[in-house]
Amino acid sequence: EKREVVVEWGGRGRMLLQFKTQREKFAFASAFCCVLVMLYVTVFAPRPTKEYHVSSAMADKLETLTTTYFKVWNTRDGEAVGKLFSENGGLRDWDIEVKGREEVAKATAGIFTAVPKIAIDVLKQHVAVSSNSVAAEILVKLNDDKNTVLKVTDVIEYDDKGLIQNLRAYKG
């Protein structure tokens, strides 16, 4: 005895299927449902709008750029620090906020004049490849009579050329 099943697609298509047994009918129905699910997943399922591929090479580059920044900073040369910033790069901390490479150079030179023995020790770097940035936990040692040490976090954003676009420093 043959069993017939008619499959319709919203009035657009029709297919007549014939099965000899109920078991064949259920086997086909199961397979057909699996095909529909796979079709939905491959064709209609939402896709991420942006993919991020974390590159260890890029993470290493950002960490190296940040290490270089602090090494240059510890030379206490405002002009050299300024050269690490993009033309419109910004620097902000709890006392100053400047924009532009030349202004950054002047501001850091002012810090070095006011605190001539200042030095930074980097404790840890947290690299975020997706935002081209690094959060660096640092100790700012004033090397003054009181042996003042400030706990600071610098958030450094880089442009595509590896220059600092923005640096924001936070105490605490």
Side-chain angles (χ1 to χ4, degrees):
E1 164 187 349
K2 290 185 179 180
R3 300 192 169 141
E4 295 182 351
V5 175
V6 177
V7 180
E8 289 190 40
W9 288 275
R12 294 184 198 182
R14 182 176 239 203
M15 179 173 29
L16 176 65
L17 304 172
Q18 295 181 347
F19 303 99
K20 292 181 182 175
T21 65
Q22 188 72 17
R23 185 179 210 167
E24 285 180 356
K25 181 178 173 182
F26 287 128
F28 175 79
S30 296
F32 188 70
C33 286
C34 288
V35 168
L36 288 178
V37 168
M38 288 189 304
L39 179 67
Y40 173 78
V41 168
T42 57
V43 176
F44 300 109
R47 302 274 190 275
T49 56
K50 189 172 185 180
E51 290 185 27
Y52 294 107
H53 300 282
V54 176
S55 161
S56 63
M58 186 59 178
D60 290 346
K61 178 183 176 185
L62 291 170
E63 194 168 327
T64 299
L65 289 169
T66 303
T67 300
T68 300
Y69 167 75
F70 288 114
K71 283 181 180 178
V72 171
W73 202 93
N74 279 331
T75 67
R76 297 180 201 91
D77 180 347
E79 190 176 325
V81 171
K83 289 179 181 177
L84 299 175
F85 281 73
S86 68
E87 191 63 39
N88 296 315
L91 171 66
R92 182 182 77 202
D93 68 13
W94 49 94
D95 288 328
I96 60 171
E97 184 168 359
V98 294
K99 194 113 175 122
R101 180 180 292 146
E102 291 180 19
E103 293 301 313
V104 169
K106 288 178 191 174
T108 53
I111 293 170
F112 301 141
T113 300
V115 190
K117 295 180 183 178
I118 194 167
I120 291 178
D121 287 343
V122 180
L123 300 176
K124 187 165 178 115
Q125 294 186 36
H126 305 275
V127 177
V129 173
S130 62
S131 62
N132 228 24
S133 61
V134 175
E137 296 177 49
I138 61 175
L139 295 177
V140 179
K141 297 179 177 182
L142 303 185
N143 293 314
D144 58 4
D145 296 338
K146 299 176 187 174
N147 288 322
T148 306
V149 177
L150 305 174
K151 294 179 182 177
V152 176
T153 299
D154 279 359
V155 178
I156 307 170
E157 297 173 19
Y158 294 94
D159 66 11
D160 294 336
K161 296 176 185 173
L163 296 172
I164 297 171
Q165 187 63 43
N166 283 299
L167 188 150
R168 295 178 308 280
Y170 303 94
K171 275 196 222 180

